[in-house]
Structures are given as C-alpha cells and as structure tokens.
Amino acid sequence: MAKSDSNGVLRLLPLVIGGLAGTLLLLNRLLTADLTVSQARSDALGIIEGATLLLIGFLWQQIQPRSPETVTLIGEQGFKLSQGLSEAIQTELAWASHLILTNTVTRSLVVYYDGKTILRRGILGKNDRVKPGVIVSKVLAQQKPIYLVKLALYPGKIEFDYLPENTQGVICQPIGERGVLILGADTSRSYTKQDETWIEGIADKLAITLSYEG
C-alpha cells in the first residue's frame, strides 16, 4: 500500500471507530429494560468518547495536505536560439536547457543575456523578447535569485509575457552580472531547495561559457 493510501486510512479511523461506538451505545440503550445509575454513567462517558473521536476525524479530514495543482501550460513547444551565437555557445545552451527541462518542473525556459533574448525553449509565450521589468531588473542589480512560488499572487507577473500566460511558478536566476535565467513551471510551490541549488550551479556554468562570447 502506498504511503498516501496508508495516511488516508489512518485519517478515517477516528470517524469509523467513533461512529461504531455511538451505534453500539444506542443499541445497548434500546435493548436494556432497566437502566442502572452506573450504566447511565458509562453511557455518558461512551458518548463523550465517541463524539471526541468523530471530532478528531473531521478535523483530520480538513487538514489533509493537498498536492499543488499541475496545469497544462498554454503555448506551443519550441526551441529558439538567437542568431550569431558560436557553435560552442549553442551547444552549451542546448545542454543546460535540456537538463533543466527534463529534471525539474520547468516547462518554459528563457535566457536573457547582454540585453538580448538568446534562448527560448519548452512551452513558448506570446512575446519573443524579454523586456526586463521590476523583478528581472532587481535580479540583475542585486545578483540574487528570486523565486515566485505562485505567480498569480504577484502584481509583477505582467512582465513575464514571454512565458505561457498560465505559468504557475517562476525562478529568476542571475547568470553572472550580465544575464538572467528565467524558468517557468506548470505547478506552484514545486521547486525544492535542491532544485534551486542545482539551477544556480547551471547558471554559474553558463556565465563562464557566455563570458567568452564577448
């Protein structure tokens, strides 16, 4: 049995036991002709215990964790490289983007470097060029990544028109001092700390390679 299935069964146990206990107490009361004082006390305690179990069961059902919702991003698959890049740079960008798209929840990827959009891959947005807004500009200025765990909650989401319109989460990772790696996910709150560390390592590698281009 899977772990999630086991947890679901455990969460139902208080409801089942509480309901069964209440039913048995009711039958016992109906079948008893002469009710003694001690039996009345026992019935009262049993009712309290059954009600407590039912309450716990209902609370457990309400706090049951839910997995983030995955959506199908709107757009077409594509792989667009800027013209004029050397073969070595093209190979490096293809390698890095492939690793990210196949090993994380990333479904759309953009590389912005030296004022140009040099790579778009995965599900493509309507706009084919990055126009740095507040968030991307902040990443470039402060040299620190920004992770927007649920894009719909941020007013600045409008600047990411080069990603699919229903992108759920975004990571903006600096590529040295001259660029930003922008990743769009189909699930909110889905990148782990390990993912973020790994993405940072790939961006650092890209920074070294791209610096040789000029």
Side-chain angles (χ1 to χ4, degrees), residues 112-115 130 132-146 172-181:
Y112 176 76
Y113 194 80
D114 276 349
V130 174
V134 174
I135 297 171
V136 171
S137 296
K138 185 176 181 180
V139 172
L140 285 167
Q142 297 186 357
Q143 290 295 288
K144 293 181 180 180
I146 292 179
C172 297
Q173 178 69 46
I175 302 176
E177 298 178 353
R178 299 162 60 182
V180 180
L181 173 63

Short mmCIF file of all heavy atoms in Angstrom, two decimals, residues 112-115 130 132-146 172-181:
data_model
loop_
_atom_site.label_atom_id
_atom_site.label_comp_id
_atom_site.label_asym_id
_atom_site.label_seq_id
_atom_site.Cartn_x
_atom_site.Cartn_y
_atom_site.Cartn_z
N TYR A 112 18.21 35.43 -20.91
CA TYR A 112 18.39 36.85 -21.28
C TYR A 112 19.81 37.24 -20.92
O TYR A 112 20.24 37.07 -19.78
CB TYR A 112 17.38 37.69 -20.50
CG TYR A 112 17.50 39.18 -20.71
CD1 TYR A 112 17.05 39.79 -21.88
CD2 TYR A 112 18.06 40.00 -19.71
CE1 TYR A 112 17.15 41.16 -22.07
CE2 TYR A 112 18.16 41.36 -19.89
CZ TYR A 112 17.71 41.94 -21.06
OH TYR A 112 17.80 43.30 -21.23
N TYR A 113 20.57 37.71 -21.91
CA TYR A 113 21.99 37.98 -21.66
C TYR A 113 22.44 39.18 -22.50
O TYR A 113 22.16 39.25 -23.71
CB TYR A 113 22.83 36.75 -22.02
CG TYR A 113 24.24 36.79 -21.49
CD1 TYR A 113 24.53 36.46 -20.17
CD2 TYR A 113 25.30 37.15 -22.32
CE1 TYR A 113 25.82 36.50 -19.68
CE2 TYR A 113 26.61 37.19 -21.84
CZ TYR A 113 26.85 36.87 -20.51
OH TYR A 113 28.14 36.91 -20.02
N ASP A 114 23.13 40.10 -21.86
CA ASP A 114 23.65 41.30 -22.53
C ASP A 114 22.55 42.04 -23.31
O ASP A 114 22.76 42.50 -24.44
CB ASP A 114 24.80 40.94 -23.48
CG ASP A 114 26.14 40.87 -22.74
OD1 ASP A 114 26.20 41.29 -21.58
OD2 ASP A 114 27.11 40.37 -23.34
N GLY A 115 21.39 42.14 -22.71
CA GLY A 115 20.29 42.89 -23.32
C GLY A 115 19.57 42.16 -24.44
O GLY A 115 18.75 42.77 -25.14
N VAL A 130 12.54 39.41 -24.12
CA VAL A 130 12.46 39.80 -22.71
C VAL A 130 12.62 41.31 -22.59
O VAL A 130 13.60 41.88 -23.07
CB VAL A 130 13.55 39.10 -21.87
CG1 VAL A 130 13.54 39.62 -20.44
CG2 VAL A 130 13.36 37.59 -21.90
N PRO A 132 13.03 43.58 -19.53
CA PRO A 132 13.17 43.49 -18.07
C PRO A 132 12.21 44.41 -17.32
O PRO A 132 12.17 45.61 -17.57
CB PRO A 132 14.63 43.89 -17.82
CG PRO A 132 15.32 43.58 -19.10
CD PRO A 132 14.31 43.88 -20.18
N GLY A 133 11.42 43.82 -16.45
CA GLY A 133 10.55 44.59 -15.57
C GLY A 133 11.19 44.75 -14.21
O GLY A 133 12.41 44.59 -14.06
N VAL A 134 10.38 45.02 -13.22
CA VAL A 134 10.89 45.27 -11.86
C VAL A 134 11.64 44.06 -11.32
O VAL A 134 12.73 44.18 -10.74
CB VAL A 134 9.73 45.65 -10.92
CG1 VAL A 134 10.24 45.77 -9.48
CG2 VAL A 134 9.08 46.95 -11.36
N ILE A 135 11.08 42.87 -11.52
CA ILE A 135 11.66 41.67 -10.91
C ILE A 135 12.98 41.29 -11.57
O ILE A 135 14.00 41.07 -10.89
CB ILE A 135 10.65 40.51 -10.98
CG1 ILE A 135 9.40 40.86 -10.16
CG2 ILE A 135 11.28 39.22 -10.46
CD1 ILE A 135 8.25 39.90 -10.33
N VAL A 136 12.99 41.19 -12.88
CA VAL A 136 14.24 40.83 -13.58
C VAL A 136 15.30 41.90 -13.36
O VAL A 136 16.49 41.58 -13.18
CB VAL A 136 13.96 40.61 -15.08
CG1 VAL A 136 15.28 40.47 -15.85
CG2 VAL A 136 13.10 39.38 -15.29
N SER A 137 14.92 43.16 -13.36
CA SER A 137 15.88 44.24 -13.12
C SER A 137 16.49 44.14 -11.73
O SER A 137 17.68 44.40 -11.52
CB SER A 137 15.20 45.61 -13.29
OG SER A 137 14.75 45.79 -14.62
N LYS A 138 15.68 43.74 -10.76
CA LYS A 138 16.16 43.58 -9.39
C LYS A 138 17.16 42.43 -9.31
O LYS A 138 18.18 42.52 -8.60
CB LYS A 138 14.98 43.32 -8.45
CG LYS A 138 15.37 43.25 -6.98
CD LYS A 138 14.13 43.08 -6.11
CE LYS A 138 14.50 43.04 -4.63
NZ LYS A 138 13.30 42.88 -3.76
N VAL A 139 16.89 41.34 -10.03
CA VAL A 139 17.82 40.21 -10.06
C VAL A 139 19.16 40.64 -10.65
O VAL A 139 20.23 40.29 -10.13
CB VAL A 139 17.22 39.04 -10.86
CG1 VAL A 139 18.25 37.93 -11.07
CG2 VAL A 139 15.99 38.47 -10.15
N LEU A 140 19.12 41.40 -11.73
CA LEU A 140 20.36 41.88 -12.36
C LEU A 140 21.13 42.83 -11.44
O LEU A 140 22.37 42.78 -11.36
CB LEU A 140 20.03 42.60 -13.67
CG LEU A 140 19.66 41.72 -14.86
CD1 LEU A 140 19.06 42.56 -15.98
CD2 LEU A 140 20.88 40.95 -15.37
N ALA A 141 20.40 43.68 -10.73
CA ALA A 141 21.05 44.68 -9.88
C ALA A 141 21.63 44.07 -8.61
O ALA A 141 22.74 44.42 -8.18
CB ALA A 141 20.05 45.78 -9.52
N GLN A 142 20.90 43.16 -8.00
CA GLN A 142 21.31 42.61 -6.70
C GLN A 142 22.07 41.30 -6.80
O GLN A 142 22.62 40.82 -5.81
CB GLN A 142 20.08 42.43 -5.81
CG GLN A 142 19.36 43.73 -5.49
CD GLN A 142 18.23 43.54 -4.50
OE1 GLN A 142 17.92 42.43 -4.08
NE2 GLN A 142 17.59 44.64 -4.11
N GLN A 143 22.06 40.69 -7.99
CA GLN A 143 22.76 39.42 -8.20
C GLN A 143 22.29 38.33 -7.25
O GLN A 143 23.07 37.52 -6.74
CB GLN A 143 24.27 39.63 -8.05
CG GLN A 143 24.92 40.43 -9.16
CD GLN A 143 24.83 39.69 -10.49
OE1 GLN A 143 25.50 38.69 -10.71
NE2 GLN A 143 23.98 40.17 -11.37
N LYS A 144 20.97 38.32 -7.03
CA LYS A 144 20.37 37.29 -6.17
C LYS A 144 19.13 36.74 -6.87
O LYS A 144 18.37 37.50 -7.49
CB LYS A 144 19.98 37.87 -4.81
CG LYS A 144 21.17 38.27 -3.95
CD LYS A 144 20.69 38.80 -2.60
CE LYS A 144 21.86 39.20 -1.72
NZ LYS A 144 21.39 39.73 -0.40
N PRO A 145 18.91 35.42 -6.78
CA PRO A 145 17.74 34.83 -7.44
C PRO A 145 16.44 35.24 -6.74
O PRO A 145 16.43 35.55 -5.55
CB PRO A 145 17.99 33.33 -7.32
CG PRO A 145 18.85 33.19 -6.10
CD PRO A 145 19.72 34.40 -6.08
N ILE A 146 15.37 35.22 -7.48
CA ILE A 146 14.03 35.46 -6.94
C ILE A 146 13.15 34.29 -7.38
O ILE A 146 13.09 33.95 -8.56
CB ILE A 146 13.43 36.79 -7.45
CG1 ILE A 146 14.20 37.97 -6.86
CG2 ILE A 146 11.95 36.89 -7.08
CD1 ILE A 146 13.70 39.32 -7.33
N CYS A 172 13.89 33.33 -11.26
CA CYS A 172 14.78 34.22 -12.00
C CYS A 172 16.17 34.07 -11.36
O CYS A 172 16.40 34.54 -10.25
CB CYS A 172 14.31 35.66 -11.93
SG CYS A 172 12.70 35.94 -12.69
N GLN A 173 17.06 33.45 -12.08
CA GLN A 173 18.39 33.14 -11.57
C GLN A 173 19.46 33.95 -12.32
O GLN A 173 19.52 33.87 -13.56
CB GLN A 173 18.68 31.64 -11.74
CG GLN A 173 20.05 31.19 -11.28
CD GLN A 173 20.21 31.25 -9.79
OE1 GLN A 173 19.33 30.81 -9.05
NE2 GLN A 173 21.31 31.80 -9.32
N PRO A 174 20.25 34.75 -11.61
CA PRO A 174 21.27 35.54 -12.32
C PRO A 174 22.30 34.67 -13.01
O PRO A 174 22.69 33.63 -12.48
CB PRO A 174 21.90 36.38 -11.20
CG PRO A 174 21.60 35.66 -9.93
CD PRO A 174 20.28 34.97 -10.16
N ILE A 175 22.72 35.11 -14.20
CA ILE A 175 23.82 34.46 -14.93
C ILE A 175 24.98 35.44 -14.88
O ILE A 175 25.11 36.32 -15.74
CB ILE A 175 23.42 34.16 -16.39
CG1 ILE A 175 22.18 33.27 -16.44
CG2 ILE A 175 24.57 33.49 -17.13
CD1 ILE A 175 21.67 33.01 -17.84
N GLY A 176 25.79 35.33 -13.87
CA GLY A 176 26.85 36.31 -13.66
C GLY A 176 26.24 37.69 -13.44
O GLY A 176 25.17 37.83 -12.85
N GLU A 177 26.91 38.72 -13.97
CA GLU A 177 26.41 40.08 -13.84
C GLU A 177 25.70 40.57 -15.10
O GLU A 177 25.21 41.70 -15.14
CB GLU A 177 27.59 41.02 -13.54
CG GLU A 177 28.32 40.71 -12.23
CD GLU A 177 29.49 41.63 -12.00
OE1 GLU A 177 29.82 42.42 -12.93
OE2 GLU A 177 30.08 41.59 -10.91
N ARG A 178 25.60 39.70 -16.10
CA ARG A 178 25.14 40.18 -17.41
C ARG A 178 23.85 39.53 -17.90
O ARG A 178 23.32 39.92 -18.95
CB ARG A 178 26.25 39.94 -18.44
CG ARG A 178 27.53 40.69 -18.11
CD ARG A 178 28.74 40.14 -18.83
NE ARG A 178 28.62 40.20 -20.29
CZ ARG A 178 29.56 39.72 -21.12
NH1 ARG A 178 30.66 39.16 -20.62
NH2 ARG A 178 29.39 39.81 -22.43
N GLY A 179 23.33 38.58 -17.16
CA GLY A 179 22.14 37.91 -17.68
C GLY A 179 21.28 37.28 -16.60
O GLY A 179 21.63 37.27 -15.41
N VAL A 180 20.14 36.73 -17.04
CA VAL A 180 19.19 36.08 -16.13
C VAL A 180 18.63 34.84 -16.81
O VAL A 180 18.27 34.87 -17.99
CB VAL A 180 18.02 37.02 -15.76
CG1 VAL A 180 17.05 36.32 -14.81
CG2 VAL A 180 18.52 38.29 -15.12
N LEU A 181 18.59 33.77 -16.06
CA LEU A 181 17.95 32.54 -16.49
C LEU A 181 16.55 32.54 -15.88
O LEU A 181 16.39 32.60 -14.66
CB LEU A 181 18.76 31.34 -15.98
CG LEU A 181 18.17 29.94 -16.17
CD1 LEU A 181 18.01 29.61 -17.65
CD2 LEU A 181 19.06 28.90 -15.49
#
